[in-house]
Amino acid sequence: MIKVITYGTFDLFHEGHYRLLKRAKELGDYLIVGVTTEAYDKTRGKLNVVDSLVTRIENVKKAGFADEIIIEESQGQKINDIRRFHVDIFAIGSDWTGAFDYLSDYCRVVYLERTKNISSTMLREKNSPIQRIGIIGTGRIAERFIPEAKLVSGVSTQGVYNPHRESAVRFADKWEIDPYEEIEDFYRAVDLVYIATPHDTHYGYIKSALEHEKHVLCEKPMVLRRAQAEELFALAREKNLILFEGIKTAYCPGFHKLLGIACSGIIGSVRNVEACFTKLEKEDSRELNDRICGGSFTELGSYVMLPILKIFGKDYTSIRFDAIHGEKGLDLFTKVSLNYPTGVATATCGLGVKSEGRLLISGTKGYIVVEAPWWKTSYFEVHYEDAGRVDKYSEIFLGDGLRYEISDFLSMINGSSNSEFKLTRGESATLAGIMEQFMRSENRDYENMGAQGLQPEIS
Ligand code: CTP
């Protein structure tokens, strides 16, 4: 009996898939089809698969050629499958020509001609037209966003808005997009808005974008007052629009694995979470000079609060801020201590003090430790009372990691998946409330902050 094996995602099952499976089956007597998991596709950079694994398997089954269907979960699995199933032929479409020659040590490798003019990518684009993203802001984060957005299918970066013509043009030229200095022109040209401006301008821009019927992805901290977060989420809901706070850690696959393990009971009941993130900034940086919105906590607080809110929830019983200030009165190092009915937590961040960036989650049976940069979670360890036992976990984290939040934002807009659980509106509003309490504890002029509407000045 000749055994043939092939692999694929088989998203939005189409004629190309059908013909591939048919010809693969004809090469032998028994066909094994490997269907990729969502997690594996994510690691391969395929971020917008529409059909669930179950649907994709059903569709392969319905085509009627597979004698056996298996799941492909990781790179390097193919060799093991080929040995395990005593496979004679590995077949794959000609778009992969050469890529699997290394398997010829184990079996015959056949590249079947790809069916022309059809692909899952084409169908995805047809089903949901490309969404044009417009960026407000031309700073460092906006710079990082564009190459990441290029890797997400279904979106294109259309243009950038900055009321300063020169800044808009400089940025637009660099990234080959359109510059806009008039906000109305900008809104006319885009479908979605990404806001990467100084914190105190977020509220005004989010409100204006929602009023112009645009979905919004806003950099963290989305706003610095709880009432503003609630008002904006209510406006988005009323207009049936998506408003998303971009804390990239919340959307990266490794952080999800970590939360899953932390809440699985493997370390018992969680009693303590400690999160620390420090990043030394230059003295003349915006972060260390903006007297209203600068400082460590507004800059890094969203990251360090995230694991605490995800693990212990929104209902802390007390919160306390301790900070060390620089000459300009801004916090160079801040420690937040929280009490919960079942545990305690500390969030530490600094722009002017360096510390060991680490996330530690302690439970009644063991602890999880994630070294810096834990906010780009890719590896963590679980330790127990028995020091000889250490469980190690790793997960891919590609590039700057913004691609994961962009992909989730897009899936929510298209209605193909709901990632709200990764960072809920309630969690975002709680974060805004914590920022507000911090500002108050610092005696910053938070009363007027964000109330000024559109801020003409963006650097
Ligand atoms: N395939 C094919 N002809 C097509 C499309 C796909 O022969 N027009 C083959 C691929 O070469 C592969 C298998 O079908 O062997 C599964 O491919 P998959 O990546 O799932 O489908 P694509 O349509 O190529 O998906 P995407 O556009 O997301 O890359």
Side-chain angles (χ1 to χ4, degrees):
M1 183 167 76
I2 298 175
K3 277 192 173 179
V4 184
I5 198 162
T6 189
Y7 296 87
T9 304
F10 302 103
D11 190 27
L12 302 171
F13 199 87
H14 56 68
E15 195 203 332
H17 295 145
Y18 183 90
R19 292 194 59 235
L20 185 285
L21 294 178
K22 183 169 187 287
R23 285 171 296 155
K25 172 74 185 219
E26 284 165 4
L27 290 172
D29 308 303
Y30 190 86
L31 177 65
I32 304 170
V33 181
V35 181
T36 55
T37 61
E38 275 130 42
Y40 179 46
D41 274 326
K42 282 214 159 127
T43 67
R44 302 193 302 152
K46 249 188 168 172
L47 295 171
N48 275 338
V49 173
V50 173
D51 288 336
S52 67
L53 176 59
V54 175
T55 306
R56 290 181 287 119
I57 290 175
E58 276 301 312
N59 288 338
V60 168
K61 203 188 278 176
K62 267 193 231 148
F65 302 112
D67 296 288
E68 190 169 345
I69 297 177
I70 60 167
I71 295 198
E72 188 183 21
E73 293 179 279
S74 60
Q75 197 135 29
Q77 183 185 322
K78 292 187 178 75
I79 291 178
N80 288 334
D81 290 343
I82 288 168
R83 283 194 186 139
R84 188 156 61 107
F85 294 109
H86 305 289
V87 166
D88 303 287
I89 300 173
F90 170 85
I92 195 101
S94 55
D95 44 325
W96 294 100
T97 299
F100 293 105
D101 289 356
Y102 70 94
L103 295 174
S104 55
D105 288 344
Y106 307 91
C107 65
R108 212 177 118 211
V109 175
V110 175
Y111 297 104
L112 296 166
E113 198 186 332
R114 193 178 157 87
T115 306
K116 293 200 172 50
N117 299 324
I118 181 84
S119 73
S120 305
T121 306
M122 276 169 60
L123 293 177
R124 281 193 291 263
E125 283 171 8
K126 209 162 111 199
N127 289 357
S128 15
I130 297 273
Q131 300 275 353
R132 298 161 306 167
I133 300 194
I135 301 178
I136 302 186
T138 49
R140 269 180 297 158
I141 302 178
E143 295 260 359
R144 258 180 269 160
F145 182 85
I146 296 189
E148 290 279 319
K150 280 207 171 99
L151 298 163
V152 178
S153 56
V155 287
S156 73
T157 312
Q158 171 73 26
V160 65
Y161 166 75
N162 189 324
H164 301 288
R165 189 178 158 68
E166 245 177 58
S167 306
V169 170
R170 197 179 343 106
F171 188 92
D173 281 354
K174 176 167 178 192
W175 295 104
E176 298 178 331
I177 56 176
D178 297 332
Y180 295 91
E181 55 190 305
E182 293 300 332
I183 196 106
E184 295 296 328
D185 296 341
F186 169 78
Y187 286 135
R188 265 193 294 278
V190 305
D191 306 304
L192 325 172
V193 169
Y194 170 62
I195 299 173
T197 55
H199 313 323
D200 56 335
T201 64
H202 288 177
Y203 170 79
Y205 280 123
I206 296 172
K207 197 167 174 184
S208 131
L210 292 173
E211 278 164 353
H212 285 79
E213 312 297 330
K214 306 296 169 196
H215 301 286
V216 177
L217 168 59
C218 181
E219 260 311 317
K220 47 90 202 142
M222 188 177 84
V223 284
L224 302 165
R225 303 182 72 179
R226 187 181 176 100
Q228 289 182 344
E230 284 169 353
E231 178 199 331
L232 294 170
F233 280 125
L235 179 62
R237 199 173 298 128
E238 182 193 311
K239 292 189 161 280
N240 219 2
L241 293 165
I242 305 289
L243 168 58
F244 218 69
E245 180 171 12
I247 305 177
K248 70 178 174 198
T249 312
Y251 304 97
C252 79
F255 187 68
H256 272 274
K257 194 180 247 188
L258 168 80
L259 291 179
I261 302 273
C263 300
S264 70
I266 200 171
I267 57 164
S269 305
V270 179
R271 297 288 184 238
N272 176 46
V273 178
E274 290 171 27
C276 178
F277 185 168
T278 65
K279 182 170 113 193
L280 292 184
E281 284 291 349
K282 293 200 185 87
E283 259 177 50
D284 60 352
S285 64
R286 175 191 58 77
E287 291 84 348
L288 292 181
N289 286 279
D290 177 344
R291 281 174 192 268
I292 295 182
C293 288
S296 306
F297 192 65
T298 46
E299 195 57 30
L300 301 173
S302 313
Y303 289 119
V304 287
M305 288 307 306
L306 178 71
I308 298 172
L309 290 186
K310 294 306 292 185
I311 290 172
F312 281 139
K314 305 188 288 287
D315 300 322
Y316 49 85
T317 50
S318 71
I319 186 164
R320 179 196 151 107
F321 302 95
D322 291 295
I324 294 167
H325 299 93
E327 280 165 19
K328 289 169 186 141
L330 291 170
D331 60 312
L332 298 180
F333 187 74
T334 291
K335 198 171 240 184
V336 187
S337 311
L338 298 103
N339 282 299
Y340 281 89
T342 59
V344 292
T346 47
T348 311
C349 52
L351 296 177
V353 174
K354 193 67 198 164
S355 187
E356 187 186 1
R358 194 178 59 152
L359 172 61
L360 177 69
I361 303 168
S362 316
T364 49
K365 293 185 185 160
Y367 66 89
I368 301 174
V369 65
V370 204
E371 302 299 342
W374 61 262
W375 46 94
K376 301 180 180 182
T377 325
S378 62
Y379 174 79
F380 58 92
E381 292 182 354
V382 184
H383 293 248
Y384 304 89
E385 181 62 27
D386 170 6
R389 181 183 166 200
V390 180
D391 298 336
K392 299 175 178 178
Y393 295 87
S394 51
E395 189 57 84
I396 197 99
F397 181 93
L398 295 169
D400 256 321
L402 288 169
R403 64 194 68 180
Y404 304 112
E405 74 181 37
I406 302 171
S407 153
D408 280 340
F409 176 54
L410 194 66
S411 305
M412 276 186 70
I413 290 166
N414 292 338
S416 57
S417 82
N418 188 344
S419 318
E420 224 263 320
F421 70 95
K422 294 186 181 169
L423 181 64
T424 64
R425 286 178 275 249
E427 286 162 350
S428 267
T430 303
L431 277 171
I434 291 173
M435 289 287 164
E436 181 174 355
Q437 287 186 65
F438 171 74
M439 301 297 264
R440 196 180 293 135
S441 76
E442 293 278 288
N443 293 320
R444 301 244 191 120
D445 182 19
Y446 77 97
E447 285 301 337
N448 296 317
M449 205 169 45
Q452 63 270 62
L454 279 192
Q455 187 85 352
E457 291 294 319
I458 56 177
S459 53

Tab-separated table of all heavy atoms in Angstrom, residues 3 56-57 61 71 89 109 129 149 181 276 303 321 323 351 364 384 402 434-435:
chain	number	residue	atom	x	y	z
A	3	LYS	N	1.469	5.019	0.795
A	3	LYS	CA	0.881	6.056	1.665
A	3	LYS	C	1.377	7.437	1.241
A	3	LYS	O	2.583	7.644	1.061
A	3	LYS	CB	1.302	5.807	3.105
A	3	LYS	CG	0.447	4.785	3.815
A	3	LYS	CD	0.759	4.845	5.305
A	3	LYS	CE	-0.207	3.951	6.078
A	3	LYS	NZ	0.070	3.972	7.499
A	56	ARG	N	-12.282	23.585	9.160
A	56	ARG	CA	-11.307	23.242	8.108
A	56	ARG	C	-11.166	21.725	7.993
A	56	ARG	O	-11.092	21.181	6.893
A	56	ARG	CB	-9.972	23.939	8.403
A	56	ARG	CG	-10.080	25.464	8.194
A	56	ARG	CD	-8.802	26.227	8.446
A	56	ARG	NE	-8.450	26.344	9.847
A	56	ARG	CZ	-7.347	25.872	10.406
A	56	ARG	NH1	-6.455	25.243	9.657
A	56	ARG	NH2	-7.109	26.029	11.687
A	57	ILE	N	-11.198	21.036	9.129
A	57	ILE	CA	-11.124	19.564	9.094
A	57	ILE	C	-12.379	18.999	8.424
A	57	ILE	O	-12.308	18.114	7.566
A	57	ILE	CB	-10.972	18.991	10.527
A	57	ILE	CG1	-9.581	19.329	11.057
A	57	ILE	CG2	-11.215	17.490	10.556
A	57	ILE	CD1	-9.338	18.933	12.509
A	61	LYS	N	-12.589	16.658	5.110
A	61	LYS	CA	-13.289	15.369	5.169
A	61	LYS	C	-14.331	15.277	4.049
A	61	LYS	O	-14.417	14.297	3.322
A	61	LYS	CB	-13.962	15.246	6.539
A	61	LYS	CG	-14.227	13.805	6.963
A	61	LYS	CD	-15.056	13.746	8.225
A	61	LYS	CE	-14.211	13.923	9.476
A	61	LYS	NZ	-15.039	13.960	10.698
A	71	ILE	N	-3.495	16.537	12.801
A	71	ILE	CA	-3.332	17.960	13.085
A	71	ILE	C	-1.858	18.319	13.017
A	71	ILE	O	-1.021	17.579	13.554
A	71	ILE	CB	-3.905	18.249	14.474
A	71	ILE	CG1	-5.400	17.972	14.380
A	71	ILE	CG2	-3.630	19.665	14.936
A	71	ILE	CD1	-6.233	18.535	15.400
A	89	ILE	N	5.103	8.922	0.056
A	89	ILE	CA	5.154	10.143	-0.769
A	89	ILE	C	4.670	11.345	0.037
A	89	ILE	O	3.606	11.298	0.671
A	89	ILE	CB	4.258	9.996	-2.028
A	89	ILE	CG1	4.729	8.814	-2.874
A	89	ILE	CG2	4.254	11.285	-2.856
A	89	ILE	CD1	3.819	8.486	-4.046
A	109	VAL	N	9.333	13.163	-2.648
A	109	VAL	CA	8.688	14.468	-2.494
A	109	VAL	C	8.129	14.895	-3.850
A	109	VAL	O	8.853	14.920	-4.844
A	109	VAL	CB	9.701	15.523	-1.989
A	109	VAL	CG1	9.078	16.908	-1.949
A	109	VAL	CG2	10.222	15.132	-0.604
A	129	PRO	N	-13.355	43.198	2.259
A	129	PRO	CA	-12.473	44.078	1.504
A	129	PRO	C	-11.351	44.634	2.371
A	129	PRO	O	-11.522	44.779	3.588
A	129	PRO	CB	-13.394	45.212	1.038
A	129	PRO	CG	-14.711	44.971	1.661
A	129	PRO	CD	-14.721	43.644	2.335
A	149	ALA	N	1.938	46.193	10.382
A	149	ALA	CA	0.635	46.149	9.699
A	149	ALA	C	0.779	45.496	8.324
A	149	ALA	O	-0.137	44.816	7.845
A	149	ALA	CB	0.051	47.551	9.566
A	181	GLU	N	-2.941	66.806	6.287
A	181	GLU	CA	-2.854	67.816	7.346
A	181	GLU	C	-4.246	68.299	7.731
A	181	GLU	O	-4.412	69.021	8.716
A	181	GLU	CB	-1.954	68.978	6.925
A	181	GLU	CG	-2.375	69.607	5.623
A	181	GLU	CD	-1.352	70.590	5.107
A	181	GLU	OE1	-1.009	71.497	5.864
A	181	GLU	OE2	-0.936	70.444	3.938
A	276	CYS	N	7.523	43.841	36.763
A	276	CYS	CA	8.437	44.984	36.718
A	276	CYS	C	8.915	45.225	35.283
A	276	CYS	O	9.225	44.279	34.561
A	276	CYS	CB	9.633	44.715	37.628
A	276	CYS	SG	10.845	46.053	37.588
A	303	TYR	N	1.570	48.093	30.930
A	303	TYR	CA	2.197	46.759	30.832
A	303	TYR	C	2.216	46.054	32.179
A	303	TYR	O	1.861	44.885	32.275
A	303	TYR	CB	3.643	46.873	30.341
A	303	TYR	CG	3.787	47.249	28.891
A	303	TYR	CD1	4.438	48.425	28.522
A	303	TYR	CD2	3.306	46.407	27.892
A	303	TYR	CE1	4.590	48.763	27.189
A	303	TYR	CE2	3.456	46.742	26.552
A	303	TYR	CZ	4.103	47.926	26.211
A	303	TYR	OH	4.255	48.259	24.897
A	321	PHE	N	0.347	53.966	45.732
A	321	PHE	CA	1.425	54.329	44.801
A	321	PHE	C	2.594	54.908	45.588
A	321	PHE	O	2.397	55.789	46.430
A	321	PHE	CB	0.942	55.414	43.825
A	321	PHE	CG	-0.264	55.009	43.016
A	321	PHE	CD1	-1.551	55.359	43.440
A	321	PHE	CD2	-0.127	54.293	41.835
A	321	PHE	CE1	-2.661	54.999	42.700
A	321	PHE	CE2	-1.235	53.929	41.088
A	321	PHE	CZ	-2.508	54.282	41.524
A	323	ALA	N	6.387	56.614	44.701
A	323	ALA	CA	7.194	57.016	43.549
A	323	ALA	C	8.418	57.814	43.954
A	323	ALA	O	8.429	58.499	44.983
A	323	ALA	CB	6.333	57.817	42.580
A	351	LEU	N	11.631	54.826	34.433
A	351	LEU	CA	12.305	55.391	33.252
A	351	LEU	C	13.674	55.938	33.661
A	351	LEU	O	14.495	56.254	32.814
A	351	LEU	CB	11.475	56.524	32.648
A	351	LEU	CG	10.103	56.167	32.080
A	351	LEU	CD1	9.395	57.431	31.604
A	351	LEU	CD2	10.214	55.181	30.936
A	364	THR	N	0.041	28.529	45.492
A	364	THR	CA	0.175	27.668	46.670
A	364	THR	C	0.960	26.388	46.365
A	364	THR	O	1.369	25.676	47.272
A	364	THR	CB	-1.221	27.311	47.219
A	364	THR	OG1	-2.020	26.850	46.112
A	364	THR	CG2	-1.895	28.519	47.844
A	384	TYR	N	8.588	24.443	41.262
A	384	TYR	CA	7.808	23.843	42.351
A	384	TYR	C	8.668	23.735	43.610
A	384	TYR	O	9.851	24.045	43.590
A	384	TYR	CB	7.332	22.447	41.922
A	384	TYR	CG	6.551	22.492	40.627
A	384	TYR	CD1	7.213	22.377	39.392
A	384	TYR	CD2	5.172	22.683	40.630
A	384	TYR	CE1	6.509	22.446	38.203
A	384	TYR	CE2	4.464	22.746	39.441
A	384	TYR	CZ	5.138	22.632	38.231
A	384	TYR	OH	4.438	22.699	37.064
A	402	LEU	N	3.297	43.879	17.311
A	402	LEU	CA	2.066	44.657	17.081
A	402	LEU	C	1.135	43.929	16.115
A	402	LEU	O	-0.067	44.151	16.101
A	402	LEU	CB	2.415	46.037	16.511
A	402	LEU	CG	3.051	47.006	17.502
A	402	LEU	CD1	3.608	48.218	16.784
A	402	LEU	CD2	2.029	47.446	18.523
A	434	ILE	N	-7.108	53.522	37.209
A	434	ILE	CA	-5.863	53.436	37.996
A	434	ILE	C	-4.921	54.578	37.587
A	434	ILE	O	-4.285	55.209	38.430
A	434	ILE	CB	-5.212	52.039	37.813
A	434	ILE	CG1	-6.098	50.985	38.494
A	434	ILE	CG2	-3.790	52.012	38.383
A	434	ILE	CD1	-5.679	49.556	38.264
A	435	MET	N	-4.871	54.857	36.284
A	435	MET	CA	-4.061	55.994	35.816
A	435	MET	C	-4.556	57.286	36.476
A	435	MET	O	-3.767	58.127	36.907
A	435	MET	CB	-4.169	56.140	34.287
A	435	MET	CG	-3.468	55.060	33.506
A	435	MET	SD	-1.692	55.290	33.588
A	435	MET	CE	-1.104	53.706	33.030
